[in-house]
Amino acid sequence: MPLAMNREVFITCAVTGAGDTTAKSDKVPVTPKEIAEAGIEAARAGAAVVHCHVRDPETGAAARDPALYREVVDRIRSSDVDVVINLTAGMGGDLVLGGVENPLPLNDAGTDMAGATERLAHISDCLPEICTLDCGTMNFSVGDYIMANTPDMLREMGRQMTDLGVKPEIEAFDTGHLWFAKQLAEEGIIEDPVLVQLCMGVPWGAPDDLNTFLAMVNNLPESWTFSAFSIGRNALAYPAAAVLAGGNVRVGLEDNIYLSKGVFASNGQLVEKAVQVVEGMGAAIIGPDEVRKRLKLTKR
Amino acid sequence: MPLAMNREVFITCAVTGAGDTTAKSDKVPVTPKEIAEAGIEAARAGAAVVHCHVRDPETGAAARDPALYREVVDRIRSSDVDVVINLTAGMGGDLVLGGVENPLPLNDAGTDMAGATERLAHISDCLPEICTLDCGTMNFSVGDYIMANTPDMLREMGRQMTDLGVKPEIEAFDTGHLWFAKQLAEEGIIEDPVLVQLCMGVPWGAPDDLNTFLAMVNNLPESWTFSAFSIGRNALAYPAAAVLAGGNVRVGLEDNIYLSKGVFASNGQLVEKAVQVVEGMGAAIIGPDEVRKRLKLTKR
Amino acid sequence: MPLAMNREVFITCAVTGAGDTTAKSDKVPVTPKEIAEAGIEAARAGAAVVHCHVRDPETGAAARDPALYREVVDRIRSSDVDVVINLTAGMGGDLVLGGVENPLPLNDAGTDMAGATERLAHISDCLPEICTLDCGTMNFSVGDYIMANTPDMLREMGRQMTDLGVKPEIEAFDTGHLWFAKQLAEEGIIEDPVLVQLCMGVPWGAPDDLNTFLAMVNNLPESWTFSAFSIGRNALAYPAAAVLAGGNVRVGLEDNIYLSKGVFASNGQLVEKAVQVVEGMGAAIIGPDEVRKRLKLTKR
Amino acid sequence: MPLAMNREVFITCAVTGAGDTTAKSDKVPVTPKEIAEAGIEAARAGAAVVHCHVRDPETGAAARDPALYREVVDRIRSSDVDVVINLTAGMGGDLVLGGVENPLPLNDAGTDMAGATERLAHISDCLPEICTLDCGTMNFSVGDYIMANTPDMLREMGRQMTDLGVKPEIEAFDTGHLWFAKQLAEEGIIEDPVLVQLCMGVPWGAPDDLNTFLAMVNNLPESWTFSAFSIGRNALAYPAAAVLAGGNVRVGLEDNIYLSKGVFASNGQLVEKAVQVVEGMGAAIIGPDEVRKRLKLTKR
């Protein structure tokens, strides 16, 4: 079946992420208040969905304290802006080995392996409309680090999300993650309309060249909704790739902190750039209510 | 080899074409003066190259009178805008059959088959920096019509262009046209840096889905420079596709007369849209001198 | 949607074609008797379908005399072998231009342009189960030659085939031909289950690299049945490509006269090679009755 | 650049692997003697390279005792058959989590994490011509299991292999693994001619559809040599895919234990099937000396 351009596009803004970016750019939001405001700013700029992590308000380090998520969510919900809230459920799957000659015992500094229920504590507490499910295990560019999400963990987390009425957004960092997502769908753990984020160019997952991207898109079931992004050099260009391939757009400081070479971006500016590209391509930007309808989300 | 995004992009504006569009939109330029002004407007909006056909000033029908081309070229050259001039050499290859039960004799109304030298009369007269070479024979959507450019005709026209010092822009409307262009290069008829335009979505040539587009891009020799466009529904989106795949951009009223549904565009507006998309993607727009350097064009 | 390997494959043997091959290899059948015997030999070796052209019995040149087809068909039908008969309807669409400086008048030597009804005279006479429809206009490697099948001619021939109850086999030599076939299906001129032959590596149609091949396969509607072949260097390898991409196989002396470098093949040997590859890949070869059932053919 | 078929193909036979297959088929070799004999049988059938794991001679379970490798290697080297020896270096990277609610502590049953030097003890001892480097971290179909090879571990193992003069065979189970292999090459850790095995259809790595496979092949540097296989249903068909895409072939009981549905294969039979397909496609099978020359292997 041919790929067809998406003419009604929603934008997700991933406002802060878990990466070591707060030291590089002071535009990366850190406190719950800053993160909520970034989400509101992104929504005003055209994002229908805001994807949030939380950070230690003191250090800026990645965090997963449910109280922090609660504050972010409360602030966004009590604002005058309507936006679909999408919280990460990726935290708590961090393994760091002891080194190349002594992989075990694990390195305590950096290892954070939580059980499924604990990883979803903030999800059951905040009941966002969407939460993410990092659909596999892989290396990142950090030397001894593993993002660890085993098949059984993914099944259990997927089941809990579905039971909570929170739509899982499958994060597929490589072609095998997408394959496993189809397995989850076959097992009935995730339900139609399935939502998937193709996370391209994240070392050492799938590179973001168009051949690889299209191979993934060609493997998507027709009933699924997808979005895509790339980090780094091609981040600004990926909204175009996603739309051309029939998908939706994700931008934000989680994925890219630059507006142009050497110029730090705000979340709002990155959303504006995406709007500029998507509308320039002749597609329309859709809002949160339209997204809820398409993805059958339960608004709280 | 992976595809890499193009970060320094030139825009060609195809200002009028030969299609039956003047009756639909009064923004399509008809007289040499209008065509030249459209080219100047496009250049001011950011086009480095202007691709021109001429039309009968009275009827708006496609024409190939060298005097008309001469006037267009003189007007552009004597303006205060610098732009690379690219003239079509596609006229004079039109065959119309007599009908489905009596294909012969040919239908005189519509048939216009000229010899190679005659087809290039305006090229040898005006000496533009670039002229096009429609690199094959194919159907269009018109019932009994054939765009006829046989291998030997293409060899002869290519040779004459090279002898004139005018860079041929290969127009590849399908994968086989591109294949034959590589044959022309192998025979030494066209020379590096070869310039090719991937003409997508022109019925009944290559459709403009990304799989087909990438199959063509994957088949381009590394030393070649390419540009791409699609006509119709995806025209506004194709600048993004071209840049993502490593190429340059063509827009203009030859390919698409709409700015949005029901709203007629000017050439300048279409260039502006392309600039909006390309710059939004984080790429830079380059000008005529930079294009000349890369394509080793001879400015006259 | 992912591509899936075909595990039940039918083989078409194209026993003679219209090419200038009889002087090169004396294994290419020429007379109706030889052509029929070649078809029978191919069927015995495993071909479910035999695709026949006819030739002038004296000169070996391509021919389209209905009496020759009739003899071929009668001989095959009266043999003790069951095989689906597929006759070409490609003859009578040959245009040869007068030369590069004087394209018109047409060159009589070589030009053979017949009306739709005349092109199908042998089809209405012999009523084979399948006949081919060369779904476009293009150059071949011969200098001034055009294979001419305009949109209206294809519509008329398609209609007549459907009216005769003969299944058209769409011959797609490039991506645009496939696009037009989808147009014919949309217009109701050809009916499900549509049968298409992807004719790869025929200069100057689609090259036979896998990227281009998959782009075509990815564009096939799911309900269609396809087969594929390549001519020349990759002919022996293409049965594997076709099966991997979910299709069926065509081999035969029309496409390739060699068994290995410098060794001329018979049709039976080429079918045997294909059987060797297909079975070695773990797929089964299906026979004429199974093909009839799948394609809803009317046996006469 | 277009993909071109490989016309001179080498076959690797992966004779036993580490999987839980010995209980299913008694043709899977277990003892060093059986493994060596399987390698010799494969070489006689046409394999130029034999890829060996070892197993506990009593239980058939995967093992990594250097003495077992030594016996395998000695037996093959002292036989009258010439074959390139390729030993796995994949053992010792097995992590099993404690469960979905208590991922830590690790499950001792199944976890086997060794340091780089220990993982290569049998390589430095036996000095095979090739050893494998599983180029990433991923899930398999087993619930809580992780194949763990972090970037720093891969760098260290790669360095040690290169220092030993043993050619690493990169095992890429997904597109990100291939990307990291290119990083290793850029860092000078692995050297040209780089050898890579595309391991397709291993859940939950890259699926084996042709779009995904070609995306990986399109990303290979031109100077690299590759081979490919798929496990399970498409195993017998993948030699054809590999050759069509320009690569070499791997078969063997590690990847697939069936000759056809319900019929258990021997390693020799699987090699014979591959030879049947590859030769049927018109390609030649090359032997160990030719492989050594191309890959610049050091024979011991």
Side-chain angles (χ1 to χ4, degrees):
Chain A
M1 290 292 299
L3 303 168
M5 174 181 162
N6 184 9
R7 296 184 183 278
E8 299 187 325
V9 175
F10 68 82
I11 298 175
T12 296
C13 186
V15 293
T16 187
D20 193 15
T21 48
T22 55
K24 290 181 205 149
S25 165
D26 61 8
K27 307 215 168 162
V28 179
V30 172
T31 66
K33 181 161 180 286
E34 288 168 356
I35 293 169
E37 282 169 357
I40 292 162
E41 175 200 357
R44 291 221 164 88
V49 183
V50 57
H51 170 66
C52 302
H53 291 241
V54 292
R55 293 177 177 275
D56 182 316
E58 304 301 316
T59 64
R64 59 180 174 86
D65 176 354
L68 296 171
Y69 285 105
R70 165 57 73 184
E71 184 181 344
V72 169
V73 168
D74 286 347
R75 285 180 176 274
I76 294 175
R77 283 184 177 150
S78 63
S79 78
D80 60 350
V81 157
D82 185 28
V83 68
V84 173
I85 296 178
N86 169 335
L87 297 186
T88 186
M91 308 307 291
D94 302 305
L95 264 177
V96 182
L97 298 183
V100 297
E101 292 299 354
N102 294 289
L104 296 182
L106 298 171
N107 187 334
D108 281 344
T111 294
D112 176 26
M113 294 294 295
T117 303
E118 184 184 343
R119 291 179 73 177
L120 296 175
H122 62 301
I123 303 300
S124 57
D125 181 33
C126 301
L127 293 176
E129 296 168 76
I130 303 173
C131 71
T132 56
L133 186 61
D134 292 335
C135 213
T137 295
M138 65 184 281
N139 292 332
F140 277 82
S141 44
V142 184
D144 290 312
Y145 172 82
I146 292 169
M147 178 179 85
N149 301 288
T150 60
D152 278 359
M153 174 64 82
L154 292 168
R155 286 184 176 100
E156 179 59 25
M157 290 177 73
R159 254 188 301 261
Q160 292 194 18
M161 291 173 188
T162 298
D163 288 350
L164 290 167
V166 176
K167 168 69 65 185
E169 178 181 272
I170 298 294
E171 311 296 294
F173 291 82
D174 213 334
T175 72
H177 299 192
L178 183 57
W179 186 11
F180 185 66
K182 293 199 275 190
Q183 175 67 18
L184 288 179
E186 255 178 53
E187 295 177 13
I189 291 171
I190 60 175
E191 294 171 345
D192 258 339
V194 172
L195 172 64
V196 63
Q197 188 73 254
L198 304 179
C199 310
M200 309 300 293
V202 181
W204 301 109
D208 67 355
D209 65 279
L210 288 190
N211 286 321
T212 302
F213 180 52
L214 285 201
M216 292 182 78
V217 173
N218 280 313
N219 268 347
L220 288 168
E222 276 183 63
S223 66
W224 291 24
T225 294
F226 80 99
S227 175
F229 69 91
S230 172
I231 68 168
R233 245 174 97 72
N234 295 316
L236 293 171
Y238 240 72
V243 170
L244 284 162
N248 300 282
V249 164
R250 168 171 149 175
V251 293
L253 293 178
E254 175 169 353
D255 305 330
N256 164 40
I257 59 175
Y258 296 104
L259 195 61
S260 61
K261 204 175 168 179
V263 180
F264 292 114
S266 71
N267 281 292
Q269 288 172 317
L270 291 172
V271 174
E272 279 163 17
K273 276 268 182 192
V275 171
Q276 170 185 340
V277 169
V278 173
E279 291 187 343
M281 292 169 70
I285 305 289
I286 62 174
D289 273 338
E290 190 58 36
V291 172
R292 285 180 190 111
K293 205 159 60 185
R294 293 178 188 208
L295 298 178
K296 299 188 182 159
L297 303 179
T298 311
K299 187 179 178 184
R300 274 100 167 198
Chain B
M1 290 292 302
L3 303 167
M5 173 181 162
N6 185 8
R7 297 185 182 278
E8 299 187 325
V9 175
F10 68 84
I11 298 174
T12 296
C13 187
V15 293
T16 189
D20 193 14
T21 48
T22 55
K24 291 181 204 148
S25 165
D26 61 9
K27 306 215 170 164
V28 179
V30 173
T31 65
K33 183 161 179 285
E34 288 168 359
I35 292 169
E37 283 168 356
I40 292 162
E41 176 200 357
R44 289 222 166 88
V49 183
V50 56
H51 170 66
C52 303
H53 290 241
V54 292
R55 292 178 178 273
D56 181 315
E58 304 302 315
T59 65
R64 60 179 174 84
D65 177 353
L68 297 170
Y69 285 106
R70 164 58 73 183
E71 183 181 344
V72 169
V73 168
D74 285 348
R75 284 180 178 276
I76 294 175
R77 282 185 178 148
S78 63
S79 78
D80 60 350
V81 157
D82 185 28
V83 68
V84 173
I85 297 179
N86 168 333
L87 297 186
T88 187
M91 308 306 292
D94 302 306
L95 263 177
V96 182
L97 299 182
V100 298
E101 292 298 355
N102 294 290
L104 294 183
L106 298 171
N107 188 335
D108 281 345
T111 294
D112 176 27
M113 294 294 294
T117 303
E118 184 184 343
R119 291 180 72 177
L120 296 175
H122 62 301
I123 303 301
S124 57
D125 181 32
C126 300
L127 293 175
E129 296 167 76
I130 302 172
C131 71
T132 57
L133 186 61
D134 292 336
C135 213
T137 294
M138 64 183 283
N139 292 333
F140 277 83
S141 44
V142 185
D144 290 312
Y145 172 83
I146 293 170
M147 178 178 83
N149 301 288
T150 59
D152 277 359
M153 175 63 84
L154 292 168
R155 286 185 177 98
E156 178 59 24
M157 289 177 73
R159 253 188 301 263
Q160 291 194 19
M161 290 172 187
T162 298
D163 288 350
L164 289 168
V166 176
K167 168 69 63 184
E169 179 181 271
I170 298 295
E171 310 296 295
F173 291 82
D174 213 334
T175 71
H177 299 193
L178 183 57
W179 186 10
F180 185 65
K182 294 199 274 189
Q183 175 68 19
L184 288 179
E186 254 177 54
E187 295 178 12
I189 291 171
I190 59 175
E191 294 171 344
D192 259 339
V194 171
L195 172 64
V196 63
Q197 188 74 252
L198 303 179
C199 309
M200 309 300 294
V202 181
W204 302 107
D208 67 355
D209 66 279
L210 288 191
N211 287 320
T212 302
F213 179 52
L214 284 201
M216 291 182 78
V217 174
N218 280 312
N219 268 346
L220 288 168
E222 276 183 61
S223 66
W224 291 25
T225 294
F226 80 99
S227 174
F229 69 90
S230 172
I231 68 169
R233 245 175 96 72
N234 295 315
L236 293 172
Y238 240 71
V243 170
L244 284 162
N248 300 283
V249 164
R250 168 171 149 174
V251 293
L253 293 178
E254 174 168 353
D255 305 330
N256 163 42
I257 59 174
Y258 296 104
L259 195 61
S260 60
K261 204 176 172 180
V263 180
F264 291 114
S266 71
N267 281 293
Q269 287 172 318
L270 290 173
V271 173
E272 280 163 16
K273 276 268 183 192
V275 170
Q276 171 186 338
V277 169
V278 173
E279 290 187 344
M281 292 169 71
I285 305 288
I286 61 174
D289 272 338
E290 190 59 34
V291 172
R292 285 180 190 111
K293 207 159 58 185
R294 292 178 189 208
L295 297 177
K296 297 188 183 161
L297 303 179
T298 311
K299 188 178 178 184
R300 273 100 167 197
Chain C
M1 291 290 300
L3 304 167
M5 174 181 162
N6 185 9
R7 297 186 181 278
E8 298 187 326
V9 175
F10 68 82
I11 297 174
T12 297
C13 187
V15 293
T16 187
D20 193 16
T21 47
T22 55
K24 291 182 205 149
S25 165
D26 61 9
K27 306 213 169 162
V28 178
V30 173
T31 67
K33 181 161 181 286
E34 287 168 359
I35 292 169
E37 282 169 355
I40 293 162
E41 175 201 357
R44 289 220 165 89
V49 183
V50 57
H51 170 66
C52 302
H53 289 240
V54 292
R55 293 176 177 275
D56 181 316
E58 305 302 314
T59 65
R64 59 179 175 86
D65 176 354
L68 297 171
Y69 285 106
R70 164 58 71 185
E71 183 181 345
V72 169
V73 168
D74 286 348
R75 283 180 177 275
I76 294 176
R77 284 185 176 149
S78 63
S79 78
D80 60 350
V81 157
D82 185 28
V83 68
V84 172
I85 297 179
N86 169 334
L87 296 187
T88 186
M91 308 306 291
D94 303 306
L95 261 178
V96 182
L97 298 183
V100 296
E101 291 299 354
N102 294 289
L104 295 182
L106 299 170
N107 188 336
D108 281 345
T111 294
D112 176 27
M113 293 295 294
T117 303
E118 183 184 344
R119 290 180 74 177
L120 295 175
H122 61 300
I123 304 299
S124 57
D125 181 32
C126 299
L127 292 176
E129 296 167 77
I130 302 173
C131 72
T132 56
L133 186 61
D134 293 335
C135 212
T137 294
M138 65 184 281
N139 291 332
F140 278 83
S141 44
V142 185
D144 291 311
Y145 172 83
I146 293 170
M147 178 177 86
N149 300 288
T150 60
D152 278 359
M153 175 62 83
L154 292 168
R155 286 185 176 99
E156 178 59 24
M157 290 177 73
R159 255 188 300 263
Q160 292 194 19
M161 291 172 186
T162 297
D163 288 349
L164 289 167
V166 176
K167 168 69 65 186
E169 179 181 272
I170 299 294
E171 310 296 293
F173 292 82
D174 212 333
T175 72
H177 300 192
L178 182 57
W179 187 11
F180 184 66
K182 293 198 274 190
Q183 175 67 18
L184 288 179
E186 255 178 53
E187 295 178 13
I189 291 171
I190 59 175
E191 295 172 343
D192 259 338
V194 171
L195 172 64
V196 63
Q197 188 74 251
L198 303 179
C199 310
M200 310 299 294
V202 180
W204 301 108
D208 67 355
D209 65 278
L210 288 191
N211 286 320
T212 303
F213 179 52
L214 285 202
M216 292 181 77
V217 173
N218 280 314
N219 268 347
L220 288 168
E222 277 184 61
S223 66
W224 291 24
T225 295
F226 80 99
S227 174
F229 69 90
S230 172
I231 67 169
R233 244 175 98 72
N234 294 315
L236 294 171
Y238 239 72
V243 169
L244 284 162
N248 300 282
V249 165
R250 169 171 148 174
V251 293
L253 294 178
E254 175 169 352
D255 306 329
N256 163 41
I257 59 175
Y258 297 104
L259 194 62
S260 60
K261 204 176 169 178
V263 180
F264 292 114
S266 70
N267 281 292
Q269 287 172 319
L270 290 173
V271 174
E272 280 163 15
K273 277 268 182 191
V275 171
Q276 170 186 338
V277 169
V278 174
E279 291 188 343
M281 291 169 70
I285 304 289
I286 62 174
D289 273 339
E290 190 57 35
V291 172
R292 284 180 190 111
K293 205 158 61 185
R294 291 177 188 209
L295 297 177
K296 298 189 183 158
L297 303 179
T298 311
K299 188 179 179 183
R300 274 100 168 198
Chain D
M1 290 292 300
L3 302 167
M5 173 181 163
N6 185 8
R7 296 184 183 279
E8 298 187 324
V9 175
F10 68 82
I11 298 174
T12 295
C13 186
V15 294
T16 188
D20 193 16
T21 47
T22 55
K24 292 181 203 148
S25 165
D26 62 7
K27 305 214 169 162
V28 179
V30 173
T31 66
K33 182 162 180 286
E34 287 168 359
I35 293 169
E37 282 169 355
I40 292 162
E41 176 200 357
R44 290 221 164 89
V49 183
V50 56
H51 169 66
C52 302
H53 289 240
V54 292
R55 293 176 177 275
D56 181 316
E58 305 302 315
T59 65
R64 59 178 175 88
D65 177 353
L68 297 171
Y69 285 105
R70 164 59 73 184
E71 183 181 344
V72 169
V73 169
D74 285 348
R75 283 180 178 276
I76 295 175
R77 283 185 176 150
S78 63
S79 77
D80 60 351
V81 157
D82 185 28
V83 68
V84 172
I85 297 179
N86 168 335
L87 297 186
T88 187
M91 308 305 292
D94 302 306
L95 262 177
V96 183
L97 298 183
V100 296
E101 292 298 356
N102 294 289
L104 295 183
L106 298 171
N107 188 334
D108 281 346
T111 294
D112 176 26
M113 293 295 294
T117 303
E118 184 183 343
R119 290 179 74 177
L120 295 175
H122 63 301
I123 304 300
S124 57
D125 181 32
C126 299
L127 293 176
E129 294 166 79
I130 301 173
C131 71
T132 57
L133 186 60
D134 292 335
C135 212
T137 293
M138 64 184 280
N139 292 332
F140 277 82
S141 44
V142 185
D144 291 312
Y145 171 83
I146 292 169
M147 178 177 85
N149 300 288
T150 60
D152 278 358
M153 175 63 85
L154 292 169
R155 285 185 177 100
E156 178 60 24
M157 289 177 75
R159 254 187 300 261
Q160 292 195 19
M161 290 172 187
T162 298
D163 288 349
L164 290 168
V166 176
K167 168 69 64 183
E169 179 181 271
I170 299 294
E171 310 297 294
F173 292 81
D174 213 332
T175 71
H177 299 192
L178 182 57
W179 186 10
F180 185 65
K182 293 198 274 190
Q183 175 68 17
L184 288 180
E186 253 177 55
E187 295 177 14
I189 291 172
I190 59 175
E191 294 172 344
D192 259 338
V194 171
L195 172 64
V196 62
Q197 187 75 249
L198 303 179
C199 309
M200 309 300 293
V202 181
W204 302 107
D208 68 356
D209 65 279
L210 288 191
N211 286 321
T212 303
F213 180 51
L214 284 202
M216 293 182 77
V217 173
N218 279 313
N219 268 347
L220 288 168
E222 276 183 61
S223 66
W224 291 24
T225 295
F226 80 99
S227 174
F229 69 91
S230 172
I231 68 169
R233 246 174 96 72
N234 295 315
L236 294 172
Y238 239 70
V243 170
L244 284 163
N248 300 282
V249 165
R250 169 171 148 174
V251 293
L253 294 178
E254 174 168 354
D255 305 329
N256 163 41
I257 60 175
Y258 296 104
L259 195 61
S260 61
K261 203 175 171 180
V263 180
F264 291 114
S266 70
N267 281 293
Q269 286 172 317
L270 290 173
V271 173
E272 280 163 15
K273 276 269 182 192
V275 171
Q276 170 186 338
V277 169
V278 173
E279 291 187 344
M281 293 169 70
I285 305 288
I286 62 174
D289 273 338
E290 191 57 36
V291 172
R292 284 180 191 112
K293 206 159 60 185
R294 291 178 189 210
L295 297 177
K296 298 188 183 159
L297 304 178
T298 310
K299 188 179 178 184
R300 274 99 167 198

